[in-house]
Amino acid sequence: MHTRGLFLLIGSLLLASAASGQAPDDGALELSQRARSIETSTMSPFCPGKTLYDCPSPRAAEWRSDIRGWLAQGLSPSEIRGRLQAREPDFDLDGSDPGTGGALVILAFGVLAMLGIGAAVWRRGVRARAAEAHEAPEDGPDEGLEERLDAELRALDAYE
């Protein structure tokens, strides 16, 4: 939604310049580009996971307006970020909040744990199937086996 507003602003500037017969104001275009650079690199405290540029919150719109005003006054991007940070001292405007990284570490650990458990279950199943393949038949002992063993033992006794 904010993108549409930006295009309308640039379009209005171009239309006003064309109506006056002059080339577009390079200063206004540069100011708009510098503001967008700050807005796209600053995380919004009003929309989790979004930058000020992408956040549709009215408070984010106020911050974007303030950024443009401060740029027009000649403030540097670092001074502007300092002012914004002073408004929300507990929020990381850079998006490098350790809490976010910690959540990713926990997520990665969970995925690895699930893969490990899955591999262990699969391996156990493979071993169980292999053990079943090597088991003796459950029919019981071969009844003719004892008779043959006795005959062979008698033959050995007779041979000695």
Side-chain angles (χ1 to χ4, degrees):
M1 175 164 170
H2 186 316
T3 306
R4 187 174 5 161
L6 181 62
F7 286 129
L8 288 174
L9 174 68
I10 292 172
S12 299
L13 290 172
L14 291 173
L15 187 59
S17 297
S20 66
Q22 299 176 357
D25 182 10
D26 289 337
L29 187 58
E30 180 189 351
L31 183 128
S32 179
Q33 289 172 343
R34 289 176 57 209
R36 184 169 29 152
S37 174
I38 294 170
E39 294 165 3
T40 57
S41 64
T42 305
M43 298 306 293
S44 171
F46 316 111
C47 299
K50 292 188 176 188
T51 63
L52 284 175
Y53 184 77
D54 296 321
C55 179
S57 164
R59 299 263 330 262
E62 290 174 21
W63 280 34
R64 289 188 297 266
S65 177
D66 291 342
I67 290 170
R68 292 173 191 278
W70 290 331
L71 283 171
Q73 293 173 10
L75 270 67
S76 71
S78 62
E79 291 172 316
I80 292 171
R81 291 182 70 81
R83 287 187 177 189
L84 295 174
Q85 191 66 67
R87 290 180 176 179
E88 293 287 336
D90 295 332
F91 185 80
D92 182 22
L93 296 175
D94 294 324
S96 59
D97 182 24
T100 303
L104 291 176
V105 168
I106 291 171
L107 178 65
F109 179 75
V111 169
L112 290 175
M114 293 302 291
L115 287 173
I117 291 169
V121 168
W122 176 78
R123 189 173 181 189
R124 186 174 186 176
V126 168
R127 284 184 179 171
R129 285 190 296 276
E132 288 175 5
H134 293 292
E135 284 182 3
E138 296 182 19
D139 297 333
D142 184 6
E143 293 180 16
L145 180 63
E146 286 187 35
E147 292 176 12
R148 287 192 307 258
L149 285 173
D150 288 338
E152 287 183 30
L153 286 173
R154 283 190 301 267
L156 283 173
D157 286 339
Y159 180 72
E160 293 179 6

